[in-house]
Amino acid sequence: MSTIPRTLRNIRKVGIKDYLVQMWHDFDAAQIEPGWHAWMSYAVDAVPGDDRLLTAGTRRFEPAMPKPNYTQTRGAFKTYNTTKSKLTAWEPVAAPRS
């Protein structure tokens, strides 16, 4: 039963609008920097602040901010075909009736 008082305390602290935004905000795995992701998945022992190679944006080829994942949104990549179809629809040719 400690969740109800904690929830009410949080609503009183941040307000109803911010509380609802916190509850229904969709987080994306791409929002986590690669260095922190490596640390969270136990791939490395040092946090990104301690290791210069794990900090984001230090290498030339690495973007400063990760690109968000647009899957299941309007911004998702949709493939399309530009080649002419090899199949055509059948159109019957009927003799005119007399």
Side-chain angles (χ1 to χ4, degrees):
M1 290 303 290
S2 67
T3 57
I4 294 174
R6 186 173 15 157
T7 302
L8 293 175
R9 192 176 326 120
N10 190 20
I11 291 173
R12 194 176 327 118
K13 183 178 178 183
V14 298
I16 188 74
K17 182 180 176 186
D18 288 338
Y19 173 75
L20 293 175
V21 168
Q22 288 175 7
M23 291 301 292
W24 286 297
H25 181 63
D26 293 331
F27 290 102
D28 185 14
Q31 293 174 340
I32 300 174
E33 295 176 1
W36 284 107
H37 184 269
W39 178 76
M40 289 173 55
S41 60
Y42 301 105
V44 294
D45 290 331
V47 294
D50 296 342
D51 192 358
R52 194 177 72 77
L53 288 176
L54 292 178
T55 56
T58 56
R59 296 180 287 269
R60 284 186 290 123
F61 59 86
E62 183 181 17
M65 291 299 295
K67 188 175 182 181
N69 185 1
Y70 292 117
T71 305
Q72 297 294 326
T73 63
R74 288 183 173 203
F77 178 76
K78 294 178 183 68
T79 58
Y80 60 93
N81 193 356
T82 59
T83 60
K84 184 178 177 184
S85 177
K86 294 179 181 179
L87 302 174
T88 57
W90 178 68
E91 296 179 16
V93 179
R97 294 187 180 188
S98 55

Coordinates of all heavy atoms in Angstrom, one line a residue:
M1 N 0.8 -1.2 0.0 CA 0.0 0.0 0.0 C 0.8 1.3 0.0 O 0.3 2.3 0.0 CB -0.9 0.0 1.2 CG -2.0 -1.1 1.1 SD -3.1 -0.9 -0.3 CE -4.0 0.6 0.1
S2 N 2.2 1.1 0.0 CA 3.0 2.3 0.0 C 3.0 3.0 -1.4 O 3.5 4.1 -1.5 CB 4.4 1.9 0.4 OG 5.0 1.1 -0.6
T3 N 2.5 2.3 -2.4 CA 2.6 3.0 -3.7 C 1.6 4.1 -3.9 O 1.8 5.1 -4.6 CB 2.4 1.9 -4.8 OG1 1.1 1.3 -4.6 CG2 3.5 0.9 -4.9
I4 N 0.4 4.0 -3.2 CA -0.6 5.0 -3.3 C -0.1 6.3 -2.7 O -0.2 7.4 -3.3 CB -1.9 4.6 -2.7 CG1 -2.5 3.4 -3.6 CG2 -2.9 5.7 -2.7 CD1 -3.7 2.8 -3.1
P5 N 0.4 6.3 -1.4 CA 0.9 7.6 -0.9 C 2.1 8.1 -1.7 O 2.2 9.4 -1.9 CB 1.3 7.2 0.5 CG 0.6 6.0 0.9 CD 0.4 5.3 -0.4
R6 N 2.9 7.2 -2.2 CA 4.1 7.7 -3.0 C 3.6 8.3 -4.3 O 4.1 9.3 -4.7 CB 5.0 6.5 -3.2 CG 6.3 6.9 -3.9 CD 7.3 5.8 -4.1 NE 6.7 4.5 -3.8 CZ 7.2 3.4 -4.3 NH1 8.3 3.4 -5.0 NH2 6.7 2.2 -4.0
T7 N 2.6 7.7 -4.9 CA 2.0 8.3 -6.1 C 1.4 9.6 -5.9 O 1.6 10.6 -6.6 CB 1.0 7.3 -6.7 OG1 1.6 6.1 -7.0 CG2 0.5 7.9 -8.0
L8 N 0.6 9.8 -4.8 CA 0.0 11.0 -4.5 C 1.1 12.1 -4.1 O 0.9 13.3 -4.5 CB -1.0 10.9 -3.3 CG -2.2 10.0 -3.6 CD1 -3.0 9.8 -2.4 CD2 -3.0 10.6 -4.7
R9 N 2.1 11.7 -3.5 CA 3.2 12.6 -3.2 C 3.9 13.1 -4.4 O 4.2 14.3 -4.6 CB 4.2 12.0 -2.2 CG 5.2 12.9 -1.6 CD 6.1 12.2 -0.6 NE 5.5 11.1 0.1 CZ 6.0 9.8 0.1 NH1 7.0 9.5 -0.6 NH2 5.4 8.9 0.8
N10 N 4.1 12.2 -5.4 CA 4.7 12.6 -6.7 C 3.8 13.5 -7.4 O 4.3 14.5 -8.1 CB 5.0 11.3 -7.5 CG 5.9 11.7 -8.7 OD1 6.5 12.7 -8.7 ND2 5.9 10.8 -9.7
I11 N 2.5 13.3 -7.4 CA 1.5 14.2 -8.2 C 1.6 15.5 -7.5 O 1.6 16.6 -8.2 CB 0.1 13.6 -8.1 CG1 0.1 12.3 -9.0 CG2 -0.9 14.6 -8.6 CD1 -1.2 11.6 -8.9
R12 N 1.6 15.6 -6.2 CA 1.6 16.9 -5.5 C 2.9 17.6 -5.8 O 3.0 18.8 -5.9 CB 1.5 16.7 -4.0 CG 1.1 18.0 -3.3 CD 0.8 17.8 -1.8 NE 0.2 16.5 -1.5 CZ 0.8 15.6 -0.7 NH1 1.9 15.8 -0.1 NH2 0.1 14.5 -0.4
K13 N 4.0 16.9 -5.9 CA 5.3 17.5 -6.1 C 5.5 18.0 -7.5 O 6.0 19.1 -7.7 CB 6.4 16.4 -5.8 CG 7.8 16.9 -5.9 CD 8.8 15.8 -5.6 CE 10.2 16.2 -5.7 NZ 11.1 15.1 -5.4
V14 N 5.1 17.2 -8.6 CA 5.4 17.7 -10.0 C 4.2 18.2 -10.7 O 4.3 18.8 -11.7 CB 6.0 16.5 -10.8 CG1 7.3 16.1 -10.2 CG2 5.1 15.4 -10.9
G15 N 3.0 18.0 -10.2 CA 1.8 18.4 -10.8 C 1.2 17.3 -11.7 O 1.9 16.4 -12.1
I16 N -0.1 17.4 -12.0 CA -0.8 16.3 -12.6 C -0.3 16.1 -14.1 O -0.2 15.0 -14.6 CB -2.3 16.5 -12.6 CG1 -3.1 15.3 -13.1 CG2 -2.8 17.7 -13.3 CD1 -3.0 14.1 -12.2
K17 N -0.1 17.3 -14.8 CA 0.4 17.2 -16.2 C 1.7 16.5 -16.3 O 1.9 15.6 -17.1 CB 0.4 18.6 -16.8 CG 0.8 18.6 -18.2 CD 0.8 20.0 -18.8 CE 1.3 20.0 -20.2 NZ 1.5 21.4 -20.7
D18 N 2.7 16.9 -15.5 CA 4.0 16.3 -15.6 C 4.0 14.9 -15.1 O 4.8 14.1 -15.6 CB 5.0 17.1 -14.8 CG 5.4 18.5 -15.4 OD1 5.2 18.6 -16.6 OD2 5.8 19.4 -14.7
Y19 N 3.1 14.6 -14.1 CA 3.0 13.2 -13.7 C 2.5 12.3 -14.8 O 3.1 11.2 -15.0 CB 2.0 13.1 -12.5 CG 1.7 11.7 -12.1 CD1 2.7 11.0 -11.4 CD2 0.5 11.1 -12.4 CE1 2.4 9.7 -11.0 CE2 0.3 9.8 -12.0 CZ 1.2 9.1 -11.3 OH 0.9 7.8 -11.0
L20 N 1.5 12.8 -15.6 CA 1.0 12.0 -16.7 C 2.0 11.8 -17.8 O 2.1 10.8 -18.4 CB -0.3 12.6 -17.2 CG -1.5 12.5 -16.2 CD1 -2.7 13.3 -16.8 CD2 -1.8 11.1 -15.9
V21 N 2.8 12.9 -18.0 CA 3.8 12.8 -19.1 C 4.9 11.8 -18.6 O 5.4 11.0 -19.5 CB 4.5 14.2 -19.3 CG1 5.7 14.1 -20.1 CG2 3.5 15.1 -20.0
Q22 N 5.2 11.8 -17.3 CA 6.2 10.8 -16.9 C 5.7 9.4 -17.0 O 6.4 8.5 -17.3 CB 6.6 11.1 -15.4 CG 7.4 12.3 -15.2 CD 7.6 12.6 -13.7 OE1 7.3 11.8 -12.9 NE2 8.2 13.8 -13.4
M23 N 4.4 9.2 -16.7 CA 3.8 7.8 -16.8 C 3.7 7.3 -18.2 O 3.9 6.1 -18.4 CB 2.5 7.8 -16.1 CG 2.5 8.1 -14.6 SD 3.5 6.8 -13.7 CE 2.5 5.4 -13.9
W24 N 3.4 8.1 -19.2 CA 3.1 7.6 -20.5 C 4.1 8.0 -21.6 O 3.9 7.9 -22.7 CB 1.7 8.1 -21.0 CG 0.6 7.4 -20.3 CD1 0.4 6.1 -20.3 CD2 -0.3 7.9 -19.4 NE1 -0.7 5.8 -19.5 CE2 -1.2 6.9 -18.9 CE3 -0.6 9.2 -18.9 CZ2 -2.2 7.1 -18.0 CZ3 -1.6 9.4 -18.0 CH2 -2.4 8.3 -17.6
H25 N 5.3 8.5 -21.1 CA 6.4 8.8 -22.1 C 7.0 7.6 -22.6 O 7.4 6.7 -21.8 CB 7.4 9.7 -21.4 CG 8.5 10.2 -22.4 ND1 8.2 10.9 -23.5 CD2 9.8 9.9 -22.3 CE1 9.4 11.1 -24.1 NE2 10.4 10.5 -23.4
D26 N 7.1 7.4 -23.9 CA 7.7 6.2 -24.5 C 9.2 6.5 -24.6 O 9.7 7.4 -25.3 CB 7.2 6.0 -25.9 CG 5.7 5.6 -25.9 OD1 5.3 5.0 -24.9 OD2 5.0 5.8 -26.8
F27 N 10.0 5.6 -23.9 CA 11.4 5.7 -24.0 C 12.0 4.8 -25.1 O 11.4 3.8 -25.4 CB 12.1 5.4 -22.6 CG 11.8 6.4 -21.6 CD1 10.8 6.2 -20.6 CD2 12.5 7.6 -21.5 CE1 10.6 7.1 -19.7 CE2 12.2 8.5 -20.6 CZ 11.3 8.3 -19.6
D28 N 13.0 5.2 -25.7 CA 13.6 4.5 -26.8 C 15.0 4.1 -26.4 O 15.8 4.8 -25.7 CB 13.7 5.4 -28.0 CG 14.1 4.8 -29.2 OD1 14.2 3.5 -29.2 OD2 14.5 5.5 -30.2
A29 N 15.4 2.9 -26.8 CA 16.7 2.4 -26.5 C 17.8 3.2 -27.2 O 18.9 3.2 -26.7 CB 16.8 0.9 -26.9
A30 N 17.5 3.9 -28.2 CA 18.4 4.7 -28.9 C 18.7 6.0 -28.1 O 19.7 6.7 -28.5 CB 17.9 5.1 -30.3
Q31 N 18.0 6.3 -27.1 CA 18.2 7.5 -26.3 C 19.4 7.3 -25.3 O 19.9 8.2 -24.8 CB 17.0 7.9 -25.5 CG 15.9 8.4 -26.4 CD 14.6 8.6 -25.6 OE1 14.4 8.1 -24.5 NE2 13.7 9.4 -26.2
I32 N 19.8 6.0 -25.1 CA 20.9 5.7 -24.3 C 22.2 5.7 -25.1 O 22.3 5.1 -26.2 CB 20.8 4.3 -23.6 CG1 19.5 4.2 -22.8 CG2 22.0 3.9 -22.8 CD1 19.2 2.9 -22.3
E33 N 23.2 6.5 -24.6 CA 24.4 6.6 -25.3 C 25.1 5.2 -25.3 O 25.0 4.4 -24.4 CB 25.3 7.6 -24.7 CG 24.7 9.0 -24.7 CD 25.6 10.0 -24.0 OE1 26.6 9.6 -23.4 OE2 25.2 11.2 -24.0
P34 N 25.9 4.9 -26.4 CA 26.6 3.6 -26.5 C 27.5 3.3 -25.3 O 27.5 2.1 -24.9 CB 27.4 3.7 -27.8 CG 26.8 4.8 -28.5 CD 26.2 5.8 -27.6
G35 N 28.2 4.3 -24.7 CA 29.0 4.0 -23.6 C 28.2 3.6 -22.4 O 28.6 2.6 -21.6
W36 N 27.1 4.2 -22.1 CA 26.3 3.9 -21.0 C 25.6 2.5 -21.2 O 25.4 1.7 -20.3 CB 25.2 4.9 -20.7 CG 25.8 6.1 -20.0 CD1 26.1 7.3 -20.5 CD2 26.3 6.2 -18.6 NE1 26.7 8.1 -19.6 CE2 26.8 7.5 -18.4 CE3 26.3 5.3 -17.6 CZ2 27.3 7.9 -17.2 CZ3 26.8 5.7 -16.4 CH2 27.3 6.9 -16.2
H37 N 25.2 2.2 -22.5 CA 24.6 1.0 -22.8 C 25.6 -0.2 -22.6 O 25.2 -1.2 -22.0 CB 24.2 1.0 -24.3 CG 23.4 -0.3 -24.6 ND1 24.1 -1.4 -25.1 CD2 22.1 -0.6 -24.5 CE1 23.2 -2.3 -25.4 NE2 22.0 -1.9 -25.0
A38 N 26.9 0.0 -22.9 CA 27.9 -1.0 -22.7 C 28.1 -1.2 -21.2 O 28.2 -2.3 -20.7 CB 29.2 -0.6 -23.3
W39 N 28.0 -0.1 -20.4 CA 28.2 -0.3 -18.9 C 27.0 -1.0 -18.3 O 27.1 -1.8 -17.5 CB 28.4 1.1 -18.3 CG 28.5 1.1 -16.8 CD1 29.6 0.7 -16.1 CD2 27.5 1.4 -15.9 NE1 29.4 0.8 -14.8 CE2 28.1 1.2 -14.6 CE3 26.2 1.9 -16.0 CZ2 27.4 1.5 -13.4 CZ3 25.5 2.1 -14.8 CH2 26.1 1.9 -13.6
M40 N 25.8 -0.6 -18.8 CA 24.5 -1.2 -18.2 C 24.4 -2.7 -18.6 O 23.8 -3.5 -17.8 CB 23.3 -0.5 -18.7 CG 23.2 0.9 -18.1 SD 21.9 1.9 -18.8 CE 20.5 0.9 -18.6
S41 N 25.0 -3.1 -19.7 CA 24.9 -4.5 -20.1 C 26.1 -5.3 -19.7 O 26.3 -6.4 -20.2 CB 24.7 -4.6 -21.6 OG 25.8 -4.0 -22.3
Y42 N 26.9 -4.7 -18.8 CA 28.1 -5.4 -18.2 C 29.1 -5.7 -19.2 O 29.9 -6.7 -19.1 CB 27.7 -6.6 -17.4 CG 26.7 -6.4 -16.3 CD1 25.4 -6.7 -16.4 CD2 27.2 -5.8 -15.1 CE1 24.5 -6.5 -15.4 CE2 26.3 -5.5 -14.1 CZ 25.0 -5.8 -14.2 OH 24.1 -5.6 -13.2
A43 N 29.2 -5.0 -20.3 CA 30.3 -5.2 -21.3 C 31.6 -4.6 -20.9 O 32.7 -5.1 -21.2 CB 29.9 -4.6 -22.7
V44 N 31.5 -3.5 -20.1 CA 32.7 -2.8 -19.6 C 32.5 -2.5 -18.1 O 31.4 -2.5 -17.6 CB 33.0 -1.5 -20.3 CG1 33.4 -1.7 -21.8 CG2 31.9 -0.5 -20.2
D45 N 33.6 -2.4 -17.4 CA 33.5 -2.1 -15.9 C 33.5 -0.6 -15.6 O 33.0 -0.2 -14.6 CB 34.6 -2.8 -15.2 CG 34.5 -4.3 -15.2 OD1 33.4 -4.8 -15.2 OD2 35.5 -5.0 -15.1
A46 N 34.1 0.2 -16.5 CA 34.2 1.6 -16.2 C 33.0 2.4 -16.8 O 32.6 2.1 -17.8 CB 35.5 2.2 -16.8
V47 N 32.6 3.4 -16.0 CA 31.5 4.2 -16.5 C 32.1 5.2 -17.6 O 33.3 5.4 -17.6 CB 30.8 5.0 -15.3 CG1 30.2 4.1 -14.4 CG2 31.8 5.9 -14.6
P48 N 31.2 5.7 -18.5 CA 31.7 6.5 -19.6 C 32.5 7.8 -19.1 O 33.3 8.3 -19.8 CB 30.5 6.9 -20.3 CG 29.5 5.8 -20.0 CD 29.8 5.4 -18.7
G49 N 32.2 8.3 -17.9 CA 32.9 9.5 -17.5 C 34.4 9.2 -17.1 O 35.2 10.0 -17.2
D50 N 34.7 7.9 -16.8 CA 36.0 7.6 -16.4 C 36.9 7.2 -17.6 O 38.1 7.4 -17.6 CB 36.0 6.4 -15.4 CG 35.4 6.7 -14.1 OD1 35.2 7.9 -13.8 OD2 35.0 5.8 -13.4
D51 N 36.3 6.6 -18.6 CA 37.0 6.2 -19.8 C 36.7 7.1 -21.0 O 35.6 7.4 -21.4 CB 36.6 4.8 -20.2 CG 37.5 4.1 -21.2 OD1 38.4 4.8 -21.7 OD2 37.2 3.0 -21.5
R52 N 37.8 7.7 -21.6 CA 37.6 8.7 -22.6 C 37.0 8.1 -23.9 O 36.3 8.7 -24.6 CB 39.0 9.3 -22.9 CG 38.8 10.6 -23.8 CD 40.2 11.2 -24.0 NE 41.0 10.5 -24.9 CZ 40.9 10.5 -26.2 NH1 40.0 11.2 -26.8 NH2 41.8 9.8 -27.0
L53 N 37.3 6.8 -24.1 CA 36.8 6.2 -25.3 C 35.3 5.9 -25.3 O 34.6 5.7 -26.3 CB 37.5 4.9 -25.6 CG 39.0 5.0 -26.1 CD1 39.6 3.6 -26.2 CD2 39.0 5.7 -27.4
L54 N 34.7 5.8 -24.1 CA 33.3 5.5 -23.9 C 32.4 6.8 -24.0 O 31.2 6.6 -24.1 CB 33.1 4.8 -22.6 CG 33.6 3.4 -22.6 CD1 33.3 2.8 -21.2 CD2 33.0 2.5 -23.6
T55 N 33.0 8.0 -23.9 CA 32.2 9.2 -23.9 C 31.7 9.4 -25.4 O 32.4 9.2 -26.3 CB 32.9 10.4 -23.5 OG1 34.1 10.5 -24.2 CG2 33.3 10.3 -22.0
A56 N 30.4 9.8 -25.5 CA 29.8 10.0 -26.8 C 30.4 11.2 -27.5 O 30.6 12.2 -26.9 CB 28.3 10.1 -26.7
G57 N 30.6 11.0 -28.8 CA 31.0 12.1 -29.7 C 32.5 12.4 -29.7 O 32.9 13.4 -30.2
T58 N 33.3 11.6 -29.1 CA 34.7 11.8 -29.1 C 35.4 11.3 -30.4 O 36.5 11.8 -30.7 CB 35.4 11.1 -27.9 OG1 35.1 9.7 -27.9 CG2 34.9 11.7 -26.6
R59 N 34.8 10.4 -31.1 CA 35.4 9.9 -32.3 C 34.8 10.6 -33.5 O 33.7 11.1 -33.5 CB 35.2 8.4 -32.4 CG 35.9 7.7 -31.3 CD 35.7 6.2 -31.3 NE 34.4 5.8 -30.9 CZ 34.0 5.4 -29.7 NH1 34.9 5.5 -28.7 NH2 32.8 5.1 -29.4
R60 N 35.6 10.7 -34.6 CA 35.1 11.4 -35.8 C 33.9 10.8 -36.4 O 33.0 11.6 -36.8 CB 36.2 11.4 -36.9 CG 37.4 12.4 -36.6 CD 38.3 12.4 -37.8 NE 39.1 11.2 -37.9 CZ 39.1 10.4 -39.0 NH1 38.4 10.8 -40.0 NH2 39.8 9.3 -39.0
F61 N 33.8 9.5 -36.5 CA 32.7 8.9 -37.2 C 31.4 8.8 -36.3 O 30.4 8.4 -36.8 CB 33.1 7.5 -37.6 CG 33.6 6.6 -36.5 CD1 32.7 5.8 -35.8 CD2 34.9 6.5 -36.1 CE1 33.1 5.0 -34.7 CE2 35.3 5.7 -35.1 CZ 34.4 5.0 -34.4
E62 N 31.5 9.0 -35.1 CA 30.4 8.9 -34.2 C 29.6 10.1 -34.1 O 30.1 11.2 -33.9 CB 30.9 8.5 -32.8 CG 29.8 8.2 -31.8 CD 30.4 7.8 -30.4 OE1 31.6 8.1 -30.2 OE2 29.7 7.3 -29.6
P63 N 28.2 10.1 -34.2 CA 27.4 11.3 -34.1 C 27.4 11.7 -32.6 O 27.5 10.9 -31.7 CB 26.0 10.8 -34.5 CG 26.0 9.3 -34.3 CD 27.4 8.9 -34.5
A64 N 27.2 13.0 -32.4 CA 27.2 13.6 -31.1 C 26.0 13.1 -30.3 O 26.1 12.8 -29.1 CB 27.3 15.1 -31.1
M65 N 24.8 13.1 -31.0 CA 23.6 12.6 -30.3 C 23.1 11.4 -31.1 O 23.1 11.4 -32.4 CB 22.5 13.7 -30.4 CG 22.8 14.9 -29.5 SD 23.0 14.4 -27.7 CE 21.3 13.9 -27.4
P66 N 22.6 10.4 -30.4 CA 22.2 9.2 -31.2 C 20.9 9.5 -31.9 O 20.1 10.4 -31.5 CB 21.9 8.2 -30.1 CG 21.9 8.9 -28.8 CD 22.6 10.2 -29.0
K67 N 20.7 8.8 -33.1 CA 19.5 9.0 -33.9 C 18.4 8.3 -33.3 O 18.5 7.1 -32.9 CB 19.8 8.5 -35.3 CG 18.8 8.8 -36.3 CD 19.2 8.4 -37.7 CE 18.2 8.8 -38.7 NZ 18.6 8.3 -40.0
P68 N 17.2 8.9 -33.1 CA 16.1 8.2 -32.5 C 15.5 7.1 -33.4 O 15.7 7.1 -34.6 CB 15.0 9.3 -32.3 CG 15.4 10.3 -33.2 CD 16.9 10.3 -33.4
N69 N 14.9 6.1 -32.8 CA 14.3 5.0 -33.5 C 12.8 5.4 -33.8 O 12.0 5.6 -32.9 CB 14.3 3.7 -32.6 CG 13.8 2.5 -33.3 OD1 13.5 2.6 -34.5 ND2 13.8 1.4 -32.6
Y70 N 12.5 5.4 -35.1 CA 11.2 5.8 -35.5 C 10.3 4.7 -35.9 O 9.3 4.8 -36.6 CB 11.3 6.7 -36.8 CG 12.0 8.1 -36.5 CD1 13.2 8.4 -37.0 CD2 11.4 9.0 -35.6 CE1 13.7 9.6 -36.8 CE2 11.9 10.2 -35.3 CZ 13.1 10.5 -35.9 OH 13.7 11.7 -35.7
T71 N 10.6 3.5 -35.4 CA 9.7 2.3 -35.7 C 8.3 2.5 -35.1 O 8.2 3.0 -34.0 CB 10.4 1.0 -35.1 OG1 11.7 0.9 -35.6 CG2 9.6 -0.2 -35.5
Q72 N 7.3 2.1 -35.9 CA 5.9 2.3 -35.5 C 5.5 3.7 -35.3 O 4.5 4.0 -34.6 CB 5.6 1.5 -34.2 CG 5.8 0.0 -34.3 CD 4.9 -0.7 -35.3 OE1 3.7 -0.2 -35.4 NE2 5.3 -1.7 -36.0
T73 N 6.1 4.6 -36.0 CA 5.7 6.0 -36.0 C 5.6 6.5 -37.5 O 5.9 5.8 -38.4 CB 6.7 6.9 -35.3 OG1 8.0 6.9 -36.0 CG2 6.9 6.5 -33.8
R74 N 5.2 7.7 -37.6 CA 5.1 8.2 -39.0 C 6.4 8.4 -39.7 O 6.5 8.5 -40.9 CB 4.3 9.6 -39.0 CG 2.9 9.4 -38.7 CD 2.2 10.8 -38.8 NE 0.7 10.6 -38.7 CZ -0.1 11.4 -39.1 NH1 0.3 12.6 -39.7 NH2 -1.4 11.2 -39.0
G75 N 7.4 8.6 -38.9 CA 8.8 8.8 -39.4 C 9.5 7.6 -39.8 O 10.7 7.6 -40.1
A76 N 8.9 6.4 -39.7 CA 9.5 5.1 -39.9 C 9.9 5.0 -41.4 O 9.2 5.6 -42.3 CB 8.7 4.0 -39.5
F77 N 11.0 4.4 -41.7 CA 11.4 4.2 -43.1 C 10.5 3.1 -43.8 O 10.3 2.0 -43.2 CB 12.8 3.7 -43.2 CG 13.3 3.4 -44.6 CD1 13.6 4.5 -45.4 CD2 13.4 2.1 -45.0 CE1 14.1 4.2 -46.7 CE2 13.9 1.9 -46.3 CZ 14.2 2.9 -47.1
K78 N 9.9 3.5 -44.9 CA 9.1 2.6 -45.7 C 9.7 2.3 -47.0 O 10.0 3.3 -47.7 CB 7.7 3.1 -45.8 CG 7.0 3.2 -44.5 CD 5.6 3.8 -44.7 CE 4.9 4.0 -43.4 NZ 5.5 5.0 -42.5
T79 N 9.9 1.1 -47.4 CA 10.5 0.8 -48.7 C 9.5 0.9 -49.8 O 8.3 0.8 -49.5 CB 11.1 -0.6 -48.7 OG1 10.1 -1.5 -48.4 CG2 12.2 -0.8 -47.7
Y80 N 9.9 1.3 -50.9 CA 9.1 1.3 -52.1 C 9.8 0.8 -53.3 O 11.1 0.9 -53.4 CB 8.5 2.7 -52.3 CG 9.6 3.8 -52.5 CD1 10.0 4.1 -53.8 CD2 10.2 4.4 -51.5 CE1 11.0 5.1 -54.0 CE2 11.2 5.4 -51.7 CZ 11.5 5.7 -52.9 OH 12.5 6.6 -53.2
N81 N 9.1 0.4 -54.3 CA 9.7 -0.2 -55.5 C 9.6 0.8 -56.6 O 8.5 1.3 -56.9 CB 9.0 -1.5 -55.8 CG 9.8 -2.3 -56.8 OD1 10.8 -1.9 -57.3 ND2 9.3 -3.5 -57.1
T82 N 10.7 1.0 -57.3 CA 10.7 1.9 -58.5 C 10.8 1.2 -59.8 O 10.8 1.8 -60.8 CB 11.9 2.9 -58.4 OG1 13.1 2.2 -58.3 CG2 11.7 3.8 -57.1
T83 N 10.9 -0.1 -59.8 CA 11.0 -0.9 -61.0 C 9.6 -1.2 -61.6 O 8.7 -1.3 -60.8 CB 11.8 -2.2 -60.8 OG1 11.1 -3.0 -59.9 CG2 13.2 -1.9 -60.3
K84 N 9.6 -1.4 -62.9 CA 8.3 -1.7 -63.5 C 8.0 -3.1 -63.2 O 8.8 -4.0 -63.2 CB 8.5 -1.5 -65.0 CG 7.2 -1.7 -65.8 CD 7.4 -1.5 -67.3 CE 6.1 -1.8 -68.0 NZ 6.3 -1.6 -69.5
S85 N 6.7 -3.4 -62.9 CA 6.3 -4.7 -62.6 C 6.3 -5.6 -63.8 O 6.0 -5.2 -64.9 CB 4.8 -4.6 -62.0 OG 4.3 -5.9 -61.8
K86 N 6.7 -6.8 -63.6 CA 6.8 -7.8 -64.6 C 5.4 -8.5 -64.9 O 5.2 -9.2 -65.9 CB 7.8 -8.9 -64.3 CG 9.2 -8.3 -64.3 CD 10.2 -9.4 -63.9 CE 11.6 -8.8 -63.9 NZ 12.6 -9.8 -63.5
L87 N 4.5 -8.3 -63.9 CA 3.2 -8.9 -64.1 C 2.2 -7.8 -64.5 O 2.3 -6.7 -64.0 CB 2.8 -9.5 -62.7 CG 3.7 -10.6 -62.2 CD1 3.2 -11.1 -60.8 CD2 3.7 -11.8 -63.1
T88 N 1.3 -8.2 -65.3 CA 0.2 -7.2 -65.7 C -1.1 -7.9 -65.4 O -1.3 -9.1 -65.5 CB 0.3 -6.8 -67.2 OG1 0.3 -8.0 -68.0 CG2 1.6 -6.1 -67.4
A89 N -2.1 -7.1 -65.1 CA -3.4 -7.6 -64.9 C -4.1 -8.1 -66.2 O -3.9 -7.5 -67.3 CB -4.3 -6.6 -64.2
W90 N -4.8 -9.2 -66.1 CA -5.5 -9.7 -67.3 C -6.7 -8.9 -67.6 O -7.6 -8.7 -66.8 CB -5.9 -11.2 -67.1 CG -6.6 -11.8 -68.3 CD1 -6.1 -12.1 -69.5 CD2 -7.9 -12.2 -68.3 NE1 -7.0 -12.7 -70.3 CE2 -8.2 -12.8 -69.5 CE3 -8.9 -12.2 -67.3 CZ2 -9.4 -13.3 -69.9 CZ3 -10.2 -12.7 -67.7 CH2 -10.4 -13.2 -69.0
E91 N -6.8 -8.4 -68.9 CA -8.0 -7.7 -69.3 C -8.6 -8.5 -70.4 O -8.0 -8.7 -71.5 CB -7.6 -6.3 -69.9 CG -7.0 -5.5 -68.8 CD -6.6 -4.1 -69.3 OE1 -7.0 -3.7 -70.4 OE2 -5.8 -3.4 -68.6
P92 N -9.8 -9.0 -70.2 CA -10.5 -9.9 -71.2 C -10.9 -9.1 -72.4 O -11.3 -7.9 -72.3 CB -11.7 -10.4 -70.5 CG -12.0 -9.4 -69.4 CD -10.7 -8.9 -69.0
V93 N -10.7 -9.7 -73.6 CA -11.1 -9.1 -74.8 C -12.3 -9.9 -75.3 O -12.2 -11.1 -75.7 CB -10.0 -9.1 -75.9 CG1 -10.5 -8.5 -77.2 CG2 -8.8 -8.3 -75.3
A94 N -13.5 -9.3 -75.3 CA -14.7 -10.0 -75.7 C -15.2 -9.5 -77.0 O -15.1 -8.3 -77.3 CB -15.8 -9.9 -74.6
A95 N -15.7 -10.4 -77.8 CA -16.3 -10.0 -79.1 C -17.6 -9.2 -78.9 O -18.4 -9.6 -78.0 CB -16.5 -11.2 -80.0
P96 N -17.8 -8.2 -79.6 CA -19.1 -7.4 -79.4 C -20.3 -8.3 -79.8 O -20.2 -9.1 -80.7 CB -19.0 -6.2 -80.3 CG -17.9 -6.5 -81.3 CD -17.0 -7.5 -80.6
R97 N -21.4 -8.2 -79.0 CA -22.6 -9.0 -79.3 C -23.4 -8.4 -80.5 O -23.4 -7.2 -80.6 CB -23.4 -9.1 -78.1 CG -22.8 -9.9 -77.0 CD -23.7 -10.1 -75.9 NE -23.1 -10.9 -74.8 CZ -23.7 -11.3 -73.8 NH1 -24.9 -11.1 -73.6 NH2 -23.0 -12.0 -72.9
S98 N -24.0 -9.2 -81.2 CA -24.8 -8.7 -82.3 C -26.3 -8.8 -82.1 O -26.8 -9.5 -81.2 CB -24.4 -9.4 -83.6 OG -24.6 -10.8 -83.5

